[in-house]
Amino acid sequence: MLRHSLRCTLFALCLCLTEITSAAQSRARTPLQPADVDAISTLLKLEDARSYDEDTLRTILASAHPEVRRRATQTVGRIADKRGGALLEHARDDKDPDVAATAAWSAGQLRDPAAVPWLSAALTTSSTAHAVQREAAIALGKIQAPQARAALSVYLMSTEAAKAPPAVVGEALLSLGRFPGHEDLAPILRWASSPDVEIRWRATWALFRPRNPAALPQLLRLADDRSGEVRFWAVRGLAPYPGVDPAPSAARLRAAVGDRDRRVRTEALRT
């Protein structure tokens, strides 16, 4: 009797979970209505002509369908008119994370420093959807402003390594590496010993790209990393630096010519 009752309970639970899943999928895949298709067609026309029609965009951004709102937000970025920044203010707080993530992407396309405060908030707030954080990190790298660099540095220094989404950390490292000549390497060095190779090679890239001589000791260490991907970027960063003794780098490059990874060998010869 007890076994029969348990089976019934489990069956009811499975049925309930199935209904919840089906309902969620139904909400996620709400079919487009003819008016929605017309709106998307209008957006495509605006993109093709690079035509900034604020009234039309504002109307479509208010659509009840999340996919239409996402596409309208995307159109703002594709047209890349600075005036579109004002239209993203509502989209960035959209309840649909895909719309909010697209708003961050579009802000990066506009390269508007005025968007840095809310992109920074989206990146550093732990409750933000990971997709939104990731796009915010990418966008900050496109906005070459001191406050954007500061926002990326704050995130990389303050986020808890054990809980940080690897995809977000990786994009933040790549974005920070795009800024030329930054002196403070601590936000990058913090991740250069990560057990995650995907993070480690991005940290290595971020160290090599700005051509800061202070990164050289760390690049020499990373040139012996167990990952070929990490060694590849580290070796690439061992090119001569003005005023720095080239002997240690030259010795490491000669050793790298015999590396087991063909890419590392090739890059050592080029460097």
Side-chain angles (χ1 to χ4, degrees):
M1 184 68 180
L2 181 59
R3 183 178 298 176
H4 176 73
S5 176
L6 182 58
R7 286 177 178 174
C8 290
T9 301
L10 289 173
F11 177 77
L13 180 59
C14 290
L15 183 62
C16 181
L17 289 173
T18 300
E19 290 177 351
I20 292 172
T21 302
S22 298
Q25 290 176 343
S26 177
R27 286 195 299 272
R29 299 176 181 176
T30 304
L32 294 169
Q33 300 302 316
D36 299 326
V37 175
D38 289 343
I40 292 172
S41 297
T42 298
L43 293 172
L44 290 174
K45 291 177 183 177
L46 293 176
E47 289 178 15
D48 287 344
R50 294 296 188 271
S51 175
Y52 179 75
D53 186 333
E54 183 169 330
D55 291 338
T56 299
L57 288 169
R58 192 178 295 279
T59 298
I60 300 176
L61 281 164
S63 169
H65 199 295
E67 177 59 15
V68 176
R69 295 198 305 276
R70 186 193 70 78
R71 291 190 181 225
T73 306
Q74 179 177 266
T75 295
V76 173
R78 286 180 171 174
I79 293 174
D81 188 303
K82 295 289 187 184
R83 293 173 292 177
L87 297 178
L88 299 178
E89 292 181 4
H90 182 69
R92 72 194 191 199
D93 296 321
D94 198 283
K95 61 183 179 181
D96 188 297
D98 288 339
V99 178
T102 306
W105 175 84
S106 288
Q109 294 300 104
L110 297 179
R111 291 168 169 77
D112 184 4
V116 170
W118 68 266
L119 288 171
S120 176
L123 176 61
T124 56
T125 303
S126 59
S127 59
T128 305
H130 292 173
V132 180
Q133 284 185 303
R134 179 177 179 274
E135 291 297 340
I138 295 171
L140 287 167
K142 295 176 182 177
I143 303 172
Q144 291 287 298
Q147 56 267 42
R149 180 173 62 189
L152 290 163
S153 296
V154 167
Y155 171 75
L156 289 170
M157 286 299 293
S158 63
T159 190
E160 190 175 346
K163 297 181 180 179
V168 179
V169 173
E171 292 298 344
L173 286 166
L174 293 178
S175 286
L176 189 56
R178 293 187 178 98
F179 287 86
H182 53 82
E183 296 301 324
D184 185 11
L185 297 177
I188 302 171
L189 292 175
R190 184 182 178 219
W191 301 94
S193 299
S194 170
D196 188 333
V197 67
E198 292 298 320
I199 290 178
R200 213 161 60 248
W201 82 252
R202 286 169 170 81
T204 307
W205 183 91
L207 284 171
F208 128 76
R209 193 174 185 275
R211 301 290 298 153
N212 184 342
L216 190 55
Q218 189 70 14
L219 290 170
L220 283 166
R221 185 189 69 81
L222 289 165
D224 292 322
D225 194 272
R226 63 182 180 276
S227 166
E229 190 73 25
V230 175
R231 296 197 305 277
F232 167 78
W233 290 113
V235 164
R236 191 168 182 177
L238 299 182
Y241 291 82
V244 177
D245 180 9
S249 295
R252 186 61 192 85
L253 288 169
R254 287 194 295 271
V257 171
D259 194 276
R260 62 184 179 277
D261 189 303
R262 180 182 58 80
R263 297 172 306 161
V264 178
R265 296 195 301 270
T266 303
E267 200 58 41
L269 289 167
R270 286 176 177 166
T271 304

